[in-house]
């Protein structure tokens, strides 16, 4: 923070738009296994009996309805059980013309059946019965049983209840049906008013906050499961149920008094931000103590907020001054080198604070934290609407979702995606809360999943690594650090246990400190191995420590603020992309990756532990003579729907890369590196309905491919079309792996994709084009939501490096793009 940026050259920005290319829509057809005639008759009879029993129960349920409670379209919910691995059939269980909707999907342990809950209007009550009878009695023109793909995959059908709509871990469902707990109630579209009326009539407690998504609205209700059974039986309002979760008090309060004179010396070197600074870091935390001398110059009273006026905006001992500790690192980074330095300390951005935590660190009533996060950001934006800001939050809740979206994480994704002003949001990955021994290290990290809401696709999720291994304090003579230098910080969570379709998290890791141990007891966070920061009671002392992923998130916010302060015109997608693109694995991380011998599965697991590595501000902002970075900000229309036809994929874009061909060709067989990062935001649709092709979380996906040295442009176009078709057909995406790419297809999850290619300079010289193309999402699969013709913007960052070779690859490219070029 105290040091100046290296006086290298800025990244080169490619102006203009990518060339739009045609795209061929894939043709996918699901075949069903054939059953012998006798088995076919037995299966049909068993299903007909099960459906008949379910319909009898449904008719009794409708007849027993209290007329004063009934709400919405008369109907009922059915549970349909299908075999494990048959997720694709879920899309066939609904019929939009008959107002039948798959509302929730529950998957058990691997190999266990899948249960889908479907709302069935009374007028369509015989839908499944007719499907089964036609399967039994009729054949298609090709001699196959009618409705065979659907009916052969239906194991049984039964009347659903509240438990059927519960999509959290099964153990979280209360065993006592009279136990009142907080529930996340995911409402079907347009049903909020009916739900509120019905919930009040049933004496459910309701929170005022709500989070709205394209097809769902989420509210919190206090009720027992028996009451929810009545609510489900009397209405069509509920899509799914989850447990409301508390925000944990995971923050550490560590000692470490320092002499107050150090602050005064820093103030003499301080260059405070301008009062009208156009960039700020906005902290959502426990509040910030403005009176601290090192915070006061950057935090104005008008930027000091709270979501609850009764709490006030100040920090509190209940959270060990966590917000003030975050503020010190967000402004200065680790204070220790700042205090011992001699250079000027420039603060190019302001600080904003919004208190979102209550005065007491206790088990509070759960809130819809997504709504609270949105309200907190809005308070800062209303005060300074023209200011660019980085929003940082290290408040998390323990999750066991294996990467599935929550109402909170989806709200974060929506806040990032919202137009016209998209947002960059930094989240901590969360910390392991239990005592740790050296034997637990990395083993425990790889089974402790990242906290909610850090699974958000669009957020920059930050884990922690550490370089802090020096124990100087004589009090701890003989103690040793748990983590080696350059390795994961001991408490940092990972996404190793997540299902493979969810994003790679953390995205990056920053310094989070270390734990020390005496060889007998669990590790402790001693002062020597933490980051130095500001204490919330400066009348007692000025400094304390911060560690773990809170420290990492604060450092990431600092870096994002620095990038925005220097390049305020950059999109949030670009800022996130630059941070990830600038990240590199440390030597110990690389040693583990190289030990995989190129095996993608093991490399992918390590990626989910370390993210893309440790970012570097100078790399994010500068290019050197032998380290060249190109930036593209562009958009395309992923899908289209014309004249009432079926939606289809529309655009891909090709960007010409102005490589220094002569210089690269002259290097011949010298080894070079190419790094490419594609960053974009998705619009979330988080209702849990199996995450099939039709029920996708993301609005769209984008992918990149780079032209091979031996390919013509036409051959390159054909390869991209083939890769897109294969991904839509759930096959291995062609061209994404192999060809000296480190990650290959493993990079194609989430909404940021980054990979590293290594090869010869001569080969790279002819890899002079990069294609960006779409893959499916709910914009395409659900045209009735009227987003199929929406545009998607993206940031593309490409770097070539010639390590160990003194050659100028910057100047030739600068000359090529000094005037606009067609791309």
């Amino acid at each position: 923070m105290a040091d100046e940026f290296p006086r290298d050259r800025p990244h080169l920005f490619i102006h203009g738009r990518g060339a739009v290319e045609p795209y061929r829509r894939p043709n996918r057809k699901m075949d069903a296994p054939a059953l012998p005639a006798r088995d076919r008759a037995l299966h049909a009879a068993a299903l007909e009996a099960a459906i008949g029993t379910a319909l009898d129960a449904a008719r009794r349920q409708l007849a027993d309805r209290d007329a004063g409670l009934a709400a919405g379209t008369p109907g009922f919910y059915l549970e349909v059980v299908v075999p494990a691995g048959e997720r694709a059939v879920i899309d066939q269980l609904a019929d939009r013309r008959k107002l039948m909707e798959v509302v929730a999907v529950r998957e058990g342990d691997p190999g266990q059946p899948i249960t889908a809950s479907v709302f069935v209007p009374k007028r369509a009550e015989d839908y499944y019965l007719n499907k089964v009878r036609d399967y039994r009695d009729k054949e298609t023109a090709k001699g196959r049983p009618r409705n065979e793909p659907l009916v052969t995959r239906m194991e049984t059908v039964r009347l659903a209840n509240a438990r059927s709509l519960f999509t959290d871990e099964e153990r979280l469902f209360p065993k006592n049906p009279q136990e009142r707990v907080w529930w996340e109630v995911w409402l079907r579209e347009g049903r909020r008013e009916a739900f509120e009326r019905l919930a009040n009539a049933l004496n459910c407690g309701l929170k005022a906050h709500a989070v709205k998504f394209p097809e769902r609205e989420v509210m919190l209700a206090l009720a027992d499961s028996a009451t929810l059974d009545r609510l489900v039986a009397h209405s069509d309002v509920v899509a799914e149920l989850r447990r409301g979760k508390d925000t944990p008090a995971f923050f550490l309060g560590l000692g470490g008094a320092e002499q107050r004179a150090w602050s005064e010396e820093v103030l003499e070197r301080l260059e405070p931000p301008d009062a009208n600074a156009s960039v700020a870091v906005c902290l959502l935390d426990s509040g910030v103590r403005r009176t601290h001398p090192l915070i006061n110059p950057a935090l104005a009273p008008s930027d000091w907020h709270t979501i609850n006026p009764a709490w006030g905006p100040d920090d509190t001992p209940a959270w060990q001054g966590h917000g003030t500790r975050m503020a010190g690192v967000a402004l200065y980074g680790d204070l220790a080198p700042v205090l011992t330095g001699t250079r000027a300390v420039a603060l190019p951005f302001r600080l904003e604070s919004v208190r979102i935590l209550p005065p007491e660190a206790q088990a509070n009533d759960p809130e819809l934290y997504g709504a609270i996060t949105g309200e907190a950001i809005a308070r800062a934006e209303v005060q300074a609407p023209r200011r660019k800001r980085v929003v940082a939050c290290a408040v998390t809740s323990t999750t066991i979702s294996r990467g599935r979206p929550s109402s909170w994480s989806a709200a974060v994704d929506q806040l990032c995606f919202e137009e016209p002003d998209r947002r960059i949001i930094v989240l901590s990955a969360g910390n392991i809360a239990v005592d740790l021994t050296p034997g637990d290290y990395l083993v425990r990290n790889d089974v402790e999943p990242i906290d909610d809401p850090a699974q958000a696709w669009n957020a920059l999720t930050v884990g922690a690594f550490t370089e802090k291994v020096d124990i100087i304090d004589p009090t701890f003579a003989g103690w040793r650090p748990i983590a080696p230098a350059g390795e994961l910080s001991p408490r940092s969570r990972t996404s190793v246990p997540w299902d493979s379709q969810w994003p790679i998290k953390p995205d990056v890791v920053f310094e989070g400190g270390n734990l020390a141990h005496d060889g007998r007891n669990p590790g402790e966070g001693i002062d020597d191995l933490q980051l130095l920061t500001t204490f919330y009671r400066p009348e007692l002392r000025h400094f304390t420590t911060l560690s773990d992923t809170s420290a990492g998130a604060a450092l990431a916010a600092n870096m994002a603020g620095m990038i925005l302060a220097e390049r305020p015109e950059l999109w949030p997608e670009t800022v996130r992309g630059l941070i990830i693109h600038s990240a590199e694995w440390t030597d110990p991380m690389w040693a583990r990756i190289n030990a995989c011998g190129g095996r993608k599965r093991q490399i992918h697991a390590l990626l989910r532990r370390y993210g893309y590595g440790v970012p570097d501000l100078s790399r994010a902002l500068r290019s050197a003579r032998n380290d060249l970075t190109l930036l593209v900000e562009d958009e395309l229309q992923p899908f289209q729907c014309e004249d009432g036809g079926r939606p289809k994929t529309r655009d891909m874009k090709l960007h010409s890369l102005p490589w220094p061909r002569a210089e690269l060709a002259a290097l011949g067989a010298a080894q070079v590196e190419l790094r490419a990062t594609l960053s974009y935001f998705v619009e979330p649709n988080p209702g849990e309905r199996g995450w099939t092709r039709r029920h996708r979380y993301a609005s769209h996906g984008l992918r990149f491919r780079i032209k091979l040295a031996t390919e013509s442009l036409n051959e390159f176009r054909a390869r991209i079309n083939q890769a897109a078709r294969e991904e839509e057909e759930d096959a291995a995406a062609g061209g994404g792996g192999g060809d000296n790419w480190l990650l290959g297809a493993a990079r194609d999850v989430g909404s940021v994709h980054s990979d590293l290619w290594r090869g010869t300079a001569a080969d790279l010289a002819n890899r002079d084009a990069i294609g960006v193309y779409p893959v499916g999402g709910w914009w395409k699969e659900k045209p009735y939501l009227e987003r199929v013709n929406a545009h998607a913007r993206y940031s593309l960052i490409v770097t070539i490096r010639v390590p160990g070779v003194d050659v100028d690859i910057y100047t030739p490219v600068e000359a090529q793009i000094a005037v606009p070029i067609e791309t």
Side-chain angles (χ1 to χ4, degrees):
M1 179 50 218
D3 295 333
E4 296 179 355
F5 296 135
R7 296 190 178 277
D8 290 326
R9 310 179 187 188
H11 300 332
L12 296 175
F13 203 101
I14 300 179
H15 299 281
R17 298 298 179 186
V20 177
E21 296 290 337
Y23 177 92
R24 288 184 291 169
R25 180 171 58 84
N27 181 22
R28 178 187 174 119
K29 186 175 181 180
M30 182 177 67
D31 293 321
L35 289 176
R38 181 173 179 275
D39 291 340
R40 170 181 165 187
L42 289 174
H43 182 62
L47 269 182
E48 190 171 1
I51 295 170
T53 300
L55 291 180
D56 287 341
R59 294 183 186 110
R60 289 194 299 271
Q61 177 178 281
L62 287 170
D64 292 339
R65 274 186 170 187
D66 183 333
L69 295 178
T73 302
F76 45 88
Y77 295 82
L78 292 180
E79 265 191 358
V80 183
V81 181
V82 301
E86 298 288 356
R87 296 159 59 98
V89 77
I90 293 170
D91 291 339
Q92 298 185 31
L93 296 176
D95 189 323
R96 189 164 174 265
R97 295 166 299 177
K98 297 182 180 296
L99 302 182
M100 295 174 59
E101 180 184 8
V102 176
V103 293
V105 174
R106 293 187 295 128
E107 297 188 57
D109 295 330
Q112 295 300 306
I114 301 169
T115 302
S117 295
V118 185
F119 177 75
V120 182
K122 188 178 187 306
R123 64 174 180 266
E125 65 180 25
D126 291 330
Y127 180 84
Y128 292 129
L129 206 56
N130 291 335
K131 291 284 187 183
V132 173
R133 288 170 177 169
D134 285 350
Y135 165 81
R136 181 191 63 199
D137 301 328
K138 299 179 181 179
E139 292 183 345
T140 67
K142 295 184 178 180
R144 303 280 290 187
R146 185 77 60 85
N147 305 318
E148 184 183 32
L150 171 65
V151 177
T152 56
R153 290 174 170 85
M154 295 173 65
E155 290 190 350
T156 191
V157 178
R158 52 182 171 254
L159 185 66
N161 55 18
R163 195 179 195 114
S164 308
L165 304 181
F166 188 71
T167 56
D168 256 339
E169 292 287 332
E170 188 67 18
R171 65 179 182 81
L172 295 178
F173 195 91
K175 292 182 174 58
N176 181 354
Q178 275 71 49
E179 179 186 359
R180 284 168 64 87
V181 297
W182 284 101
W183 305 82
E184 281 188 7
V185 183
W186 292 62
L187 303 173
R188 299 177 69 208
E189 188 173 15
R191 267 72 168 187
R192 178 176 176 177
E193 183 176 345
F195 166 70
E196 289 177 332
R197 179 179 63 79
L198 184 54
N200 289 327
L202 293 172
N203 296 315
C204 299
L206 291 181
K207 293 284 187 179
H209 292 297
V211 180
K212 186 173 177 57
F213 299 109
E215 294 182 279
R216 296 289 182 259
E217 193 159 6
V218 188
M219 297 190 70
L220 276 170
L222 180 65
D224 54 49
S225 60
T227 299
L228 291 182
D229 280 336
R230 293 190 68 199
L231 192 148
V232 169
H234 280 80
S235 72
D236 66 342
V237 300
V238 180
E240 57 179 301
L241 298 165
R242 306 182 191 183
R243 282 289 294 271
K245 302 175 182 70
D246 292 337
T247 300
F250 66 93
F251 310 106
L252 303 174
L254 303 174
E258 302 290 346
Q259 296 181 13
R260 300 181 187 181
W262 292 355
S263 286
E264 296 171 359
E265 195 278 333
V266 170
L267 289 172
E268 292 175 0
R269 295 184 279 123
L270 186 68
E271 298 176 1
D274 186 272
N276 298 315
S278 61
V279 175
V281 169
C282 178
L283 296 179
L284 312 185
D285 212 283
S286 62
V288 172
R289 183 61 55 92
R290 275 195 69 251
T291 55
H292 195 292
L294 294 180
I295 293 175
N296 182 267
L299 179 56
S302 57
D303 295 325
W304 198 35
H305 308 287
T306 176
I307 62 163
N308 188 333
W311 298 349
D314 209 351
D315 211 340
T316 169
W319 304 96
Q320 296 87 43
H322 188 268
T324 304
R325 291 191 282 150
M326 288 284 293
V329 175
L331 285 171
Y332 298 95
D334 189 350
L335 266 175
V338 176
L339 294 171
T340 57
T342 58
R343 294 185 178 182
V345 180
L347 298 181
F349 55 81
R350 299 202 62 79
L351 187 68
E352 298 172 339
S353 170
V354 188
R355 180 172 173 174
I356 64 171
L357 293 176
E360 299 298 330
Q362 59 190 17
N364 300 290
D365 288 342
E367 298 283 354
L368 277 175
Y369 300 119
I372 289 175
T373 303
E375 179 183 341
I377 294 172
R379 289 179 182 267
E381 290 177 341
V382 167
Q383 173 59 35
R386 298 183 181 277
R387 188 180 287 166
K388 302 277 189 176
R389 57 180 48 80
V390 177
V391 178
C393 182
V395 178
T396 66
S397 177
T398 300
T399 179
I400 48 177
S401 68
R402 298 181 66 85
R404 292 184 306 132
S406 68
S407 61
W408 192 1
S409 72
V412 169
D413 281 332
Q414 186 159 286
L415 288 164
C416 292
F417 180 84
E418 279 179 349
E419 295 176 323
D421 296 318
R422 295 189 173 177
R423 303 173 176 93
I424 178 166
I425 299 180
V426 176
L427 302 175
S428 67
N431 304 324
I432 299 172
V434 300
D435 289 340
L436 298 173
T437 66
D440 298 324
Y441 180 60
L442 294 183
V443 176
R444 191 64 183 258
N445 302 86
D446 285 350
V447 299
E448 292 277 0
I450 279 174
D451 277 346
D452 190 20
Q455 70 269 40
W457 291 39
N458 297 336
L460 180 72
T461 300
V462 182
F465 89 114
T466 189
E467 296 282 2
K468 293 184 176 292
V469 294
D470 295 329
I471 300 175
I472 301 172
D473 189 338
T475 306
F476 300 100
W479 289 46
R480 299 188 60 80
I482 284 183
E487 264 287 5
L488 197 71
S489 188
R491 295 193 184 279
S492 190
R493 291 176 175 266
T494 73
S495 65
V496 174
W498 284 5
D499 296 331
S500 61
Q501 74 265 33
W502 301 118
I504 294 163
K505 296 289 181 174
D507 296 296
V508 291
V509 291
F510 281 83
E511 178 64 67
N514 209 337
L515 298 179
H517 69 99
D518 62 2
R520 300 182 304 276
N521 299 301
E524 293 184 23
I526 66 174
D527 291 346
D528 280 343
L529 303 182
Q530 313 298 302
L531 282 73
L532 193 68
T533 188
T534 46
F535 185 53
Y536 81 107
R537 297 189 65 187
E539 70 277 9
L540 297 181
R541 64 180 191 270
H542 280 204
F543 305 113
T544 185
T545 53
L546 184 67
S547 61
D548 304 328
T549 60
S550 290
L555 289 170
N558 175 275
M559 179 173 176
M562 293 288 187
I563 294 172
L564 265 185
E566 177 147 327
R567 300 286 300 277
E569 77 282 2
L570 293 179
W571 294 347
E573 300 96 319
T574 307
V575 175
R576 179 185 67 158
L578 279 172
I579 292 173
I580 293 171
H581 189 81
S582 75
E584 292 187 354
W585 292 300
T586 64
D587 289 343
M589 296 174 190
W590 264 119
R592 294 185 185 275
I593 290 169
N594 290 333
C596 295
R599 294 184 294 273
K600 292 293 191 285
R601 184 181 297 274
Q602 288 89 336
I603 293 173
H604 192 220
L606 292 172
L607 183 63
R608 288 186 173 276
R609 177 193 291 173
Y610 302 122
Y612 291 97
V614 183
D616 180 86
L617 181 61
S618 63
R619 279 198 301 269
L621 286 173
R622 300 287 187 268
S623 291
R625 293 175 71 250
N626 60 347
D627 183 354
L628 169 69
T629 297
L630 303 171
L631 300 180
V632 177
E633 290 181 337
D634 206 344
E635 68 174 24
L636 54 76
Q637 183 177 330
F639 317 115
Q640 66 179 355
C641 188
E642 297 178 345
D643 302 325
R646 294 181 61 186
K648 59 183 181 179
T649 305
R650 174 175 164 167
D651 295 345
M652 72 175 179
K653 286 203 171 180
L654 292 183
H655 297 277
S656 297
L657 297 173
W659 286 156
R661 288 189 179 183
E663 288 74 13
L664 289 172
L667 292 173
Q671 290 294 298
V672 295
E673 297 177 353
L674 182 148
R675 176 82 177 267
T677 301
L678 177 64
S679 177
Y680 57 98
F681 289 165
V682 299
E683 185 176 10
N685 191 353
E688 172 61 274
R689 286 176 288 178
W691 310 117
T692 63
R693 289 181 70 247
R694 177 168 174 75
H695 297 300
R696 304 193 216 209
Y697 175 76
S699 51
H700 64 290
L702 299 178
R703 303 288 185 263
F704 73 82
R705 296 289 184 266
I706 291 185
K707 175 180 169 293
L708 301 179
T710 57
E711 280 182 319
S712 67
L713 278 177
N714 285 336
E715 291 170 334
F716 180 41
R717 293 185 184 102
R719 180 162 64 89
I720 289 179
N721 276 316
Q722 178 67 20
R725 285 195 300 274
E726 290 180 346
E727 180 154 351
E728 281 293 273
E729 295 169 359
D730 295 331
D739 189 35
N740 295 337
W741 286 102
L742 179 65
L743 303 179
R747 71 185 179 228
D748 290 338
V749 291
S751 64
V752 63
H753 316 294
S754 189
D755 208 347
L756 180 68
W757 176 91
R758 286 173 172 165
T760 67
D763 191 359
L764 180 62
N766 292 310
R767 293 174 178 260
D768 56 356
I770 185 167
V772 177
Y773 64 92
V775 294
W778 65 261
W779 280 358
K780 177 185 178 185
E781 304 295 342
K782 300 190 175 188
Y784 53 86
L785 294 178
E786 298 183 349
R787 296 287 286 156
V788 68
N789 294 317
H791 284 71
R793 70 185 197 181
Y794 61 88
S795 299
L796 181 64
I797 309 166
V798 182
T799 294
I800 54 175
R801 299 181 64 186
V802 189
V805 179
D806 186 15
V807 59
D808 185 2
I809 59 175
Y810 181 96
T811 302
V813 175
E814 184 182 29
Q816 289 188 59
I817 65 174
V819 295
I821 63 171
E822 291 187 3
T823 58

